[in-house]
Amino acid sequence: MSMNSYGHLFRVTTWGESHGPALGATVDGCPPGVPIDEAMIQHWLDRRKPGQSKFTTQRREPDAVKILSGVFEGQTTGTPVQLMIENTDQRSKDYGDIVDKFRPGHADITYWQKYGIRDYRGGGRSSARETAARVAAGGLAREAIKALAPDVEITGYMVQMGPHRIDRNRFDRAQIEQNPFWVPDAQAAGDWAAYLDDLRKSGNSVGAVVEVVARGVPAGLGAPVYAKLDTDLAAAMMSINAVKGVEIGEGMAAAELTGEANADEIFMGPDGPRYSSNHAGGILGGISTGQDIVVRFAVKPTSSILTPRRTITKSGQETEIVTKGRHDPCVGIRAVPVGEAMMACVILDHLLLHRGQIGENRGRIG
Amino acid sequence: MSMNSYGHLFRVTTWGESHGPALGATVDGCPPGVPIDEAMIQHWLDRRKPGQSKFTTQRREPDAVKILSGVFEGQTTGTPVQLMIENTDQRSKDYGDIVDKFRPGHADITYWQKYGIRDYRGGGRSSARETAARVAAGGLAREAIKALAPDVEITGYMVQMGPHRIDRNRFDRAQIEQNPFWVPDAQAAGDWAAYLDDLRKSGNSVGAVVEVVARGVPAGLGAPVYAKLDTDLAAAMMSINAVKGVEIGEGMAAAELTGEANADEIFMGPDGPRYSSNHAGGILGGISTGQDIVVRFAVKPTSSILTPRRTITKSGQETEIVTKGRHDPCVGIRAVPVGEAMMACVILDHLLLHRGQIGENRGRIG
Amino acid sequence: MSMNSYGHLFRVTTWGESHGPALGATVDGCPPGVPIDEAMIQHWLDRRKPGQSKFTTQRREPDAVKILSGVFEGQTTGTPVQLMIENTDQRSKDYGDIVDKFRPGHADITYWQKYGIRDYRGGGRSSARETAARVAAGGLAREAIKALAPDVEITGYMVQMGPHRIDRNRFDRAQIEQNPFWVPDAQAAGDWAAYLDDLRKSGNSVGAVVEVVARGVPAGLGAPVYAKLDTDLAAAMMSINAVKGVEIGEGMAAAELTGEANADEIFMGPDGPRYSSNHAGGILGGISTGQDIVVRFAVKPTSSILTPRRTITKSGQETEIVTKGRHDPCVGIRAVPVGEAMMACVILDHLLLHRGQIGENRGRIG
Amino acid sequence: MSMNSYGHLFRVTTWGESHGPALGATVDGCPPGVPIDEAMIQHWLDRRKPGQSKFTTQRREPDAVKILSGVFEGQTTGTPVQLMIENTDQRSKDYGDIVDKFRPGHADITYWQKYGIRDYRGGGRSSARETAARVAAGGLAREAIKALAPDVEITGYMVQMGPHRIDRNRFDRAQIEQNPFWVPDAQAAGDWAAYLDDLRKSGNSVGAVVEVVARGVPAGLGAPVYAKLDTDLAAAMMSINAVKGVEIGEGMAAAELTGEANADEIFMGPDGPRYSSNHAGGILGGISTGQDIVVRFAVKPTSSILTPRRTITKSGQETEIVTKGRHDPCVGIRAVPVGEAMMACVILDHLLLHRGQIGENRGRIG
């Protein structure tokens, strides 16, 4: 059992903190023979990298990944893959004035209460920089999935920023890569830019909802009762910094439906079952149906804002704080590639787990 | 690694299916010396038991728990506790006409696709009867918590049924035990009874939202990054049958807030930090703050309804199905004690985990 | 993580104590579709059953196994299999005079020091009765192996009792089932009977060495570095009650060899590599070579003897003890089927683990 | 579950291969507040470092450890500690002529059969260089133990090299650091030097037995049934490269004893139980008694020798091989600090596990 690991067979352990020499992911259980090199992983890290638009933190990290083990002559060997990212732009002095103050909404106070150690430099282990390691691991997972389930396609995007939601009627997958918000709605992209720019200038921040969809996932993945596919996805997404809610398919809105309205009726298609709808988000009883796996998660607004907030110090003195560092006005944006990475890791893990217990899919229909 | 287990140190493995001879929970890692007997666990099982009002399934199971191991002279010994519940009212013939048909919204089709085995009797392992084992384990967890954190108090209740939400201004904890819905709002209890009775008579069903609150949890519980308290709670709740969404504190609504609005400002109280609000739901960076832990989850409507739905058979024939068994019109009701049980297990587990790594709380404030 | 479980994917959790109502094994991760019934498991339990000759304890337990879950219409479903054995012949009063005394060589004192609970009835959880649950799980594992690696054949036997070793030149596998010691040497069987009978009459006991061999195990099983096949076998055998040493291949004697003498030279046979010898015991670098897997373990003499021994009570008083219960003069005898069962569980587990990470064997020779 | 990890709460994952850029250990679950720096860990690595006498490989690796995470201002933070050792002296061309040949006794053939990938450079992941990472983790474990059980003292030494055993009557702990064999017997040290020098010159090698003793371990550590202290020690030691047997206390010789001879009688000492002997090696029923924990393991002779041996190539051709690299004539020597490190990790892990489930020792005697 490790508190910094996830996955059953494809097992990722992340390590490192915001302002240490490096951070990374120790990845165990990857199948051998997966073609991989640093550039293939770097591709995904670059999507998450800060400082790419005015809407993300101006911290400038190259986030260059190094593969230290587990790869030989361009292929995974089946032994642990160590993915390391060195920290370079660590302006620890930016944090000098918060050495003794707890930033509200951050983990400063709880890490102190738990460990009695205060690594004030950028949040230490609780920093969202940790998610770079997940994205690196996710890049490897994507390549490994190709050999096992070549039709799998994983796409994340924003569907809500503050009070503004996308219009599902304007949903256009091609838009996702065309704007700094990975939003599949061109009009929303424009509206949100203006909205967020105002917030950013006023030193405020806002929350968001990210949706991640996996297409082409074979039916039969997921291991009830406590390694359900949705259970593992919920844990994977909830473990991302600042996430406060996770939904599968209808999610919280399922509460409002009747059984009649919620039923995904089943028909027979040319190569297997087809469904009238996907309220279930591609998962029944914790096992994939073959439909799109649909997950959403809510990211709270960045807690570092310029408005002074009341807080206390380690010695219990009441005081005020203004967090001046370089921060994201909507940290949800950069959570998109992280959510994709977690989806990739969970799906690969369950492909392996299913193959381990069962071999190939067993139950044929028709 | 076990796919039917949860918890790190307090480790619960459930087993059994709807219509087998018995089901139960194998509980490992319980501290020794916890006073326990069958009656203390039965108390919690009785709250979940079906057939207590017209709003729950008319299946009549005594759900009598037997302790087969791990308890000697009224105390846990520190070795595995086996909690067994025999199945008695298994009308398997009720399911005869669905031997070959997959019920939409149920796990029939995915279990078949995964395992190639069709235990058609009441859903087999995917039946919500499995949650009886969790409630039994939760009863033991509650007793073990008392020695470690005597102030902990865990309460679950419904906050939404279909489109009807409680009025938080009428919130009255004393009402929870006064109505069949565990709803802390007397007026809602009355309205919902009428609403659900109509649905029930028409053979339809509806979803719900359950909220579970843990008071008195000490600060410092939770083990970042992938054993965060909220991560483990999300997994615990999502693993409950029919759950489609999980929220901590503000949950999905956090997306709509600005950083200014979302800040829980910190003050110094007589015996530790105090907060201006609890948007965080008692958890920051995956670690408890000492505030109330607030979790909500959405339960989809029961999929077994009297309205005919389109489906297919194992051989791929299209057909219709009406699920005539004895079912709950709002399965969310019986999810309340299950959510409480999962909360109890997660909190006990983290109390032990924290004590293992750290001993007592280390970081003092003031 | 569970302290009462073993295996990675084929995960066995045993529960129960010597004089509780029942004991058993909760088996998770078994492949679906394995043909199994109670009689098939009972077959293996009957081999371990006490009271079959004058050389084993006269406690008379039918050790009848019940399958409570995970099997439907004669096949495993892929969900947890609960194997329960009820205790029937629990003469707890036999233990009345040791309620406060610690039996030397038993776990009485350490369980007390660890848990502060004294279940004096036959050793409670530390009783070798727990191994019945392993044998039941092993019976299931054997059936599951058949579908995955049909050539696997697992055989255990005694090679040493006290100072008496078998003569490898007289090794005759057919003898194993012909004597109460499972010894593959007819002459030894006769000699040992006389030797042990004397010891038994004098109320003394003696140790033994058991060897377990698995033939037909495919090359490539084992997952370095800490899930090596030999690592898992060492843990599996050392976890058996009273075991004090475990050897693979040459075992401790490997220390005496030179590199020249120890080399298992490799040749090419008609259907794969062949070796000049098997000093390695079928495992190199933690991975199976395809040769026989050879494991030996030493079982200490039964600690319950009629000779008075010095000991202390819970209150620290010095005293003497004579253990009068019904005990085995050579507990190593009944360890034979237990060692076989552990071998079966470990091999099945690694078959699944290998298939999970890698699929089929990948590296072909020639 | 990770195949490259060990420990329950103090969880060590090693990564890296012989000729990659680096190798290391990702250590999770370390208590916070442990004083540590690179020099303190380097101390232990230097003991294992090759090239220190003519009796170990002449590969010259500084084996300089870097702490990349988990330590702040000289103390552990409670988050993962990454310990990295860069490889510098990788003469991969030494291995050029074995690209296609499998070295007998090495894992070359089994890694190929498992993974279908042949990292021929010095054994890749199966190289004993991996043990450097364990020694680094063990150095951290030793410091963490100090706060929890300050009396613990861990010492490893050789007791046998080839056919030559130490004379227990000459046992002198002070000698251990005075000779290149860590042998507690001055006369043996001299004899062995001459013996091994001859073997080395002839290009041969020999096996060894290492004993590791932990003094001052509190009673009550170990978690039956499958996380027994001896089970975990057996797994820890068997996972070390080239180990073929593991013994606790009497070990394999326990088979020869009668119950009368094997009994460790119990007396009451001034501060707790005292024993007449320690046949049990400090462990009863998997739980520590407070006596010395005594473990021995046999290391087979180095398989790389200058005598030509028969083998095959990847394409199945029969051929001969002479392994010319820089190798240890008795790899058992360098296994001494590795065995100590594994002991330290296991004991720390069980200190945390015990504290997690139980708090402090519960059962008082007297």
Side-chain angles (χ1 to χ4, degrees):
Chain A
M1 190 211 68
S2 162
M3 300 168 289
N4 288 274
S5 303
Y6 60 92
H8 305 273
L9 286 182
F10 183 77
R11 183 95 175 142
V12 178
T13 304
T14 71
W15 55 272
E17 44 267 354
S18 182
H19 289 66
L23 55 82
T26 309
V27 183
D28 195 23
C30 187
V34 177
I36 198 77
D37 62 23
E38 289 168 354
M40 290 160 86
I41 292 176
Q42 195 63 46
H43 170 77
W44 300 105
L45 277 167
D46 287 348
R47 289 165 60 92
R48 181 201 159 278
K49 203 164 61 178
Q52 301 195 108
S53 80
K54 62 185 170 187
F55 301 118
T56 56
T57 171
Q58 296 307 300
R59 177 168 174 170
R60 303 231 171 247
E61 287 285 359
D63 276 0
V65 70
K66 287 186 189 167
I67 299 175
L68 296 185
S69 69
V71 176
F72 182 59
E73 297 181 343
Q75 287 190 309
T76 56
T77 62
T79 65
V81 180
Q82 182 58 263
L83 303 169
M84 181 178 73
I85 298 161
E86 285 168 296
N87 288 320
T88 56
D89 183 23
Q90 317 145 357
R91 298 195 202 163
S92 295
K93 65 180 180 309
D94 280 4
Y95 296 93
D97 55 343
I98 60 153
V99 169
D100 289 314
K101 293 182 183 179
F102 302 119
R103 295 169 301 164
H106 282 280
D108 299 354
I109 192 168
T110 51
Y111 268 62
W112 171 254
Q113 286 173 307
K114 181 172 195 73
Y115 296 116
I117 299 280
R118 174 106 175 83
D119 178 357
Y120 50 81
R121 306 164 306 163
R125 179 70 180 151
S126 74
S127 165
R129 256 195 86 60
E130 182 269 344
T131 59
R134 309 182 188 213
V135 171
L140 175 57
R142 282 178 188 264
E143 296 305 316
I145 288 172
K146 285 181 186 169
L148 288 154
D151 295 337
V152 170
E153 197 185 323
I154 295 167
T155 314
Y157 43 84
M158 288 181 74
V159 296
Q160 183 180 346
M161 176 188 285
H164 307 291
R165 293 161 200 248
I166 63 164
D167 182 339
R168 296 264 172 185
N169 295 318
R170 285 194 306 253
F171 193 102
D172 177 4
R173 193 171 277 253
Q175 287 297 318
I176 295 173
E177 302 286 332
Q178 306 303 320
N179 60 70
F181 307 114
W182 286 297
V183 58
D185 171 346
Q187 188 175 316
D191 298 348
W192 295 10
Y195 169 75
L196 193 60
D197 211 33
D198 281 355
L199 270 177
R200 182 179 64 82
K201 285 175 185 159
S202 69
N204 206 342
S205 65
V206 75
V209 176
V210 173
E211 185 167 286
V212 182
V213 173
R215 288 186 172 172
V217 175
L221 298 195
V225 175
Y226 304 105
K228 284 176 172 169
L229 190 56
D230 40 2
T231 299
D232 282 358
L233 285 169
M237 300 309 172
M238 192 63 96
S239 75
I240 300 172
N241 307 53
V243 170
K244 301 303 286 184
V246 180
E247 302 188 315
I248 306 290
E250 283 293 331
M252 299 305 291
E256 299 187 22
L257 297 180
T258 64
E260 223 177 286
N262 188 56
D264 298 321
E265 292 180 291
I266 316 177
F267 300 88
M268 196 62 195
D271 39 58
R274 288 286 172 273
Y275 294 81
S276 63
S277 50
N278 189 13
H279 297 289
I283 301 173
L284 285 175
I287 302 175
S288 62
T289 61
Q291 293 182 278
D292 287 1
I293 308 288
V294 181
V295 181
R296 274 181 309 284
F297 55 92
V299 184
K300 72 177 185 182
T302 317
S303 298
S304 296
I305 52 176
L306 290 181
T307 319
R309 297 282 96 184
R310 303 288 305 171
T311 190
I312 61 175
T313 66
K314 271 163 56 178
S315 57
Q317 296 303 306
E318 298 196 342
T319 180
E320 269 198 350
I321 195 164
V322 172
T323 321
K324 272 178 284 187
R326 299 155 295 166
H327 299 287
D328 294 277
C330 177
V331 78
I333 300 171
R334 288 174 57 214
V336 173
V338 181
E340 289 179 338
M342 297 309 280
M343 176 71 91
C345 291
V346 170
I347 286 176
L348 174 59
D349 188 35
H350 277 279
L351 284 165
L352 301 179
L353 205 51
H354 181 83
R355 184 167 68 173
Q357 190 187 5
I358 296 173
E360 335 170 10
N361 266 5
R362 289 174 42 93
R364 305 293 167 194
I365 293 173
Chain B
M1 189 210 68
S2 161
M3 300 168 291
N4 288 276
S5 303
Y6 60 93
H8 305 275
L9 287 181
F10 183 77
R11 183 96 175 142
V12 178
T13 303
T14 71
W15 53 273
E17 43 269 353
S18 183
H19 289 65
L23 54 84
T26 310
V27 183
D28 194 23
C30 187
V34 176
I36 198 78
D37 62 23
E38 289 168 356
M40 291 161 86
I41 292 175
Q42 195 63 47
H43 169 77
W44 301 105
L45 276 167
D46 287 348
R47 289 165 59 91
R48 181 200 157 281
K49 204 165 60 178
Q52 301 194 107
S53 80
K54 63 184 169 187
F55 302 118
T56 56
T57 171
Q58 296 307 299
R59 178 168 171 167
R60 302 235 170 243
E61 287 285 1
D63 276 359
V65 70
K66 287 185 188 167
I67 299 176
L68 297 185
S69 68
V71 176
F72 182 60
E73 297 181 344
Q75 286 190 308
T76 57
T77 62
T79 64
V81 180
Q82 182 59 262
L83 303 169
M84 182 178 72
I85 298 160
E86 285 168 294
N87 288 320
T88 55
D89 183 22
Q90 317 144 359
R91 297 195 202 164
S92 295
K93 64 179 181 311
D94 280 3
Y95 296 94
D97 55 343
I98 59 152
V99 168
D100 288 314
K101 293 182 184 180
F102 302 120
R103 295 169 300 165
H106 282 281
D108 298 353
I109 191 167
T110 51
Y111 268 62
W112 171 254
Q113 286 175 309
K114 183 172 194 74
Y115 297 116
I117 298 281
R118 175 104 175 83
D119 178 357
Y120 51 81
R121 305 163 306 164
R125 179 71 179 149
S126 74
S127 165
R129 256 193 85 60
E130 182 269 343
T131 59
R134 309 181 187 214
V135 172
L140 175 57
R142 283 178 188 262
E143 295 307 315
I145 288 172
K146 284 180 185 168
L148 288 153
D151 296 337
V152 170
E153 196 184 324
I154 294 167
T155 314
Y157 42 86
M158 287 181 76
V159 296
Q160 183 180 347
M161 176 188 285
H164 307 291
R165 294 162 198 248
I166 63 165
D167 182 338
R168 296 262 172 187
N169 294 318
R170 286 194 305 254
F171 193 103
D172 177 4
R173 192 171 279 252
Q175 287 297 318
I176 295 173
E177 304 285 334
Q178 306 304 318
N179 61 71
F181 308 115
W182 287 298
V183 58
D185 171 346
Q187 187 175 318
D191 297 347
W192 296 9
Y195 169 76
L196 193 60
D197 211 32
D198 281 354
L199 271 177
R200 183 179 64 82
K201 285 174 185 159
S202 68
N204 206 341
S205 64
V206 75
V209 176
V210 173
E211 186 167 285
V212 182
V213 173
R215 288 185 172 172
V217 175
L221 298 195
V225 177
Y226 303 104
K228 286 176 170 169
L229 190 55
D230 39 2
T231 298
D232 282 358
L233 285 170
M237 301 308 172
M238 192 64 94
S239 75
I240 300 171
N241 305 52
V243 170
K244 302 303 286 184
V246 180
E247 302 188 315
I248 307 290
E250 283 292 331
M252 299 305 290
E256 299 187 21
L257 297 180
T258 64
E260 225 177 284
N262 188 57
D264 297 321
E265 292 181 291
I266 316 176
F267 299 88
M268 196 61 197
D271 41 56
R274 287 286 173 275
Y275 295 81
S276 63
S277 49
N278 188 13
H279 298 289
I283 301 174
L284 284 175
I287 302 173
S288 62
T289 62
Q291 293 180 278
D292 286 2
I293 309 287
V294 182
V295 181
R296 273 183 308 284
F297 56 91
V299 184
K300 72 177 185 182
T302 316
S303 298
S304 297
I305 52 177
L306 291 180
T307 319
R309 296 283 95 185
R310 304 287 305 169
T311 191
I312 61 175
T313 65
K314 270 163 59 177
S315 57
Q317 297 302 307
E318 298 196 342
T319 180
E320 270 199 347
I321 193 164
V322 172
T323 322
K324 273 177 285 188
R326 299 154 295 167
H327 300 288
D328 295 275
C330 178
V331 78
I333 299 170
R334 290 174 56 213
V336 172
V338 181
E340 289 178 339
M342 296 309 280
M343 176 70 92
C345 291
V346 170
I347 285 175
L348 173 59
D349 187 36
H350 277 279
L351 284 164
L352 300 179
L353 204 51
H354 181 83
R355 183 166 69 172
Q357 188 187 7
I358 295 172
E360 333 169 11
N361 267 5
R362 289 174 43 93
R364 305 291 169 198
I365 293 172
Chain C
M1 192 210 65
S2 161
M3 300 169 290
N4 288 276
S5 303
Y6 60 93
H8 305 275
L9 286 182
F10 184 77
R11 183 98 176 140
V12 178
T13 303
T14 71
W15 55 272
E17 44 268 353
S18 183
H19 289 65
L23 54 82
T26 311
V27 183
D28 195 24
C30 188
V34 176
I36 198 77
D37 61 24
E38 289 167 357
M40 292 160 85
I41 293 176
Q42 194 63 46
H43 170 77
W44 301 105
L45 277 167
D46 287 347
R47 287 165 60 90
R48 181 201 158 279
K49 204 164 61 177
Q52 302 194 107
S53 81
K54 62 185 169 187
F55 301 118
T56 56
T57 172
Q58 297 308 300
R59 177 169 173 166
R60 302 236 172 242
E61 286 286 359
D63 276 359
V65 68
K66 287 186 189 167
I67 299 176
L68 297 185
S69 66
V71 175
F72 181 61
E73 297 180 344
Q75 287 191 309
T76 57
T77 62
T79 64
V81 179
Q82 182 60 260
L83 302 169
M84 182 178 73
I85 298 160
E86 283 168 295
N87 288 320
T88 55
D89 184 21
Q90 317 145 0
R91 298 197 202 160
S92 295
K93 64 180 180 313
D94 279 4
Y95 296 93
D97 56 343
I98 60 153
V99 168
D100 289 313
K101 293 181 184 181
F102 302 118
R103 295 168 301 164
H106 281 281
D108 298 355
I109 191 168
T110 52
Y111 268 63
W112 171 254
Q113 287 174 307
K114 182 172 194 74
Y115 297 116
I117 298 281
R118 176 107 175 82
D119 177 357
Y120 49 81
R121 306 164 306 163
R125 179 70 181 149
S126 74
S127 165
R129 255 193 87 60
E130 182 270 342
T131 60
R134 307 182 189 214
V135 171
L140 176 57
R142 282 178 188 262
E143 296 306 315
I145 287 172
K146 286 180 184 169
L148 288 154
D151 296 337
V152 170
E153 197 184 323
I154 295 167
T155 314
Y157 42 86
M158 287 182 76
V159 295
Q160 183 180 346
M161 176 188 286
H164 306 293
R165 295 163 198 247
I166 63 164
D167 182 341
R168 296 262 174 189
N169 295 319
R170 287 194 305 256
F171 194 103
D172 177 5
R173 192 171 279 253
Q175 287 296 319
I176 296 174
E177 303 285 333
Q178 306 303 318
N179 60 73
F181 308 115
W182 286 297
V183 58
D185 171 346
Q187 188 175 315
D191 298 346
W192 296 10
Y195 169 75
L196 194 60
D197 211 31
D198 281 354
L199 271 177
R200 184 179 63 83
K201 286 174 184 159
S202 69
N204 207 340
S205 63
V206 74
V209 176
V210 173
E211 186 167 286
V212 182
V213 173
R215 288 184 171 172
V217 175
L221 297 197
V225 176
Y226 304 105
K228 285 176 172 169
L229 190 55
D230 39 3
T231 299
D232 282 359
L233 285 169
M237 301 308 173
M238 192 63 94
S239 75
I240 299 172
N241 306 51
V243 171
K244 301 304 285 185
V246 180
E247 302 188 315
I248 307 290
E250 283 292 332
M252 298 306 290
E256 299 186 22
L257 297 180
T258 63
E260 225 174 285
N262 188 56
D264 298 321
E265 292 181 293
I266 316 176
F267 299 89
M268 196 63 197
D271 41 57
R274 287 286 173 273
Y275 295 82
S276 63
S277 49
N278 189 13
H279 298 288
I283 301 174
L284 285 175
I287 302 174
S288 61
T289 63
Q291 293 180 278
D292 286 1
I293 309 287
V294 182
V295 181
R296 272 181 311 284
F297 56 91
V299 184
K300 70 176 187 184
T302 317
S303 298
S304 297
I305 52 178
L306 290 181
T307 319
R309 298 282 95 185
R310 305 287 305 170
T311 190
I312 60 175
T313 65
K314 271 164 56 178
S315 57
Q317 297 303 306
E318 298 195 341
T319 181
E320 271 197 348
I321 193 164
V322 172
T323 322
K324 274 177 283 186
R326 301 153 294 165
H327 301 288
D328 294 275
C330 177
V331 78
I333 301 170
R334 288 175 58 215
V336 172
V338 182
E340 289 178 339
M342 296 310 279
M343 176 70 92
C345 290
V346 170
I347 285 176
L348 174 59
D349 188 35
H350 276 280
L351 284 165
L352 300 179
L353 205 51
H354 181 83
R355 182 167 70 173
Q357 190 188 4
I358 295 174
E360 333 168 12
N361 266 4
R362 288 175 44 94
R364 303 292 167 196
I365 293 173
Chain D
M1 189 210 67
S2 161
M3 301 168 289
N4 287 276
S5 303
Y6 61 92
H8 305 274
L9 286 182
F10 183 76
R11 182 97 176 140
V12 178
T13 304
T14 71
W15 54 272
E17 43 267 354
S18 183
H19 289 66
L23 54 82
T26 310
V27 183
D28 195 24
C30 188
V34 176
I36 199 76
D37 61 24
E38 288 167 357
M40 293 161 84
I41 292 175
Q42 194 63 45
H43 170 76
W44 301 106
L45 276 168
D46 288 348
R47 288 165 60 91
R48 180 201 158 280
K49 203 164 63 177
Q52 300 195 107
S53 81
K54 62 185 170 187
F55 301 118
T56 56
T57 172
Q58 296 307 300
R59 177 169 173 168
R60 301 235 172 244
E61 287 285 359
D63 276 0
V65 69
K66 287 185 189 168
I67 299 176
L68 296 186
S69 69
V71 176
F72 182 60
E73 296 180 345
Q75 287 190 310
T76 56
T77 61
T79 64
V81 179
Q82 182 58 261
L83 302 169
M84 182 179 72
I85 298 161
E86 284 168 295
N87 289 321
T88 55
D89 184 22
Q90 317 145 358
R91 298 196 202 162
S92 296
K93 64 180 180 314
D94 281 4
Y95 296 93
D97 56 343
I98 59 150
V99 168
D100 289 314
K101 293 181 184 180
F102 302 119
R103 295 169 301 165
H106 282 280
D108 298 354
I109 191 168
T110 50
Y111 268 62
W112 171 255
Q113 286 174 308
K114 183 173 193 73
Y115 297 117
I117 298 280
R118 174 104 176 83
D119 179 357
Y120 50 80
R121 305 163 308 162
R125 179 69 180 150
S126 74
S127 166
R129 256 193 86 59
E130 183 269 342
T131 60
R134 309 182 187 213
V135 172
L140 175 57
R142 282 178 187 263
E143 296 306 316
I145 288 171
K146 285 181 185 169
L148 288 154
D151 295 337
V152 170
E153 198 184 324
I154 295 166
T155 314
Y157 42 85
M158 286 180 77
V159 295
Q160 183 180 347
M161 176 188 285
H164 307 292
R165 294 163 200 248
I166 64 165
D167 181 340
R168 296 262 173 188
N169 294 320
R170 287 195 304 256
F171 194 103
D172 177 4
R173 191 171 280 252
Q175 287 297 318
I176 295 173
E177 302 285 333
Q178 306 303 318
N179 60 70
F181 307 114
W182 286 297
V183 59
D185 171 345
Q187 188 176 317
D191 298 346
W192 296 9
Y195 169 75
L196 193 60
D197 211 32
D198 282 353
L199 270 178
R200 182 180 63 83
K201 285 175 185 157
S202 68
N204 207 340
S205 64
V206 76
V209 176
V210 174
E211 186 166 287
V212 182
V213 174
R215 288 185 171 170
V217 175
L221 298 196
V225 175
Y226 304 104
K228 284 176 171 169
L229 190 56
D230 40 2
T231 298
D232 282 359
L233 285 169
M237 300 310 173
M238 192 63 95
S239 75
I240 300 173
N241 306 53
V243 171
K244 300 304 285 183
V246 180
E247 302 188 315
I248 306 290
E250 283 292 330
M252 298 306 292
E256 299 186 22
L257 297 179
T258 62
E260 221 175 288
N262 187 56
D264 299 321
E265 291 180 293
I266 316 177
F267 299 89
M268 196 62 195
D271 40 59
R274 288 287 173 272
Y275 293 82
S276 63
S277 50
N278 188 13
H279 298 288
I283 301 174
L284 285 175
I287 302 175
S288 61
T289 62
Q291 292 180 279
D292 287 1
I293 309 288
V294 182
V295 181
R296 272 181 310 285
F297 56 91
V299 184
K300 72 177 184 182
T302 317
S303 298
S304 298
I305 52 177
L306 291 181
T307 318
R309 296 284 95 184
R310 304 287 306 169
T311 191
I312 60 174
T313 65
K314 271 163 56 178
S315 56
Q317 297 301 307
E318 298 195 341
T319 181
E320 270 198 346
I321 193 164
V322 173
T323 322
K324 273 177 285 187
R326 300 154 295 166
H327 299 290
D328 294 277
C330 178
V331 77
I333 301 171
R334 290 173 57 214
V336 173
V338 181
E340 290 179 339
M342 296 310 279
M343 176 70 93
C345 290
V346 170
I347 286 176
L348 174 58
D349 187 35
H350 277 279
L351 284 164
L352 300 179
L353 206 50
H354 181 83
R355 183 167 69 174
Q357 190 188 4
I358 296 172
E360 334 169 10
N361 267 4
R362 289 174 42 94
R364 306 291 166 197
I365 293 172

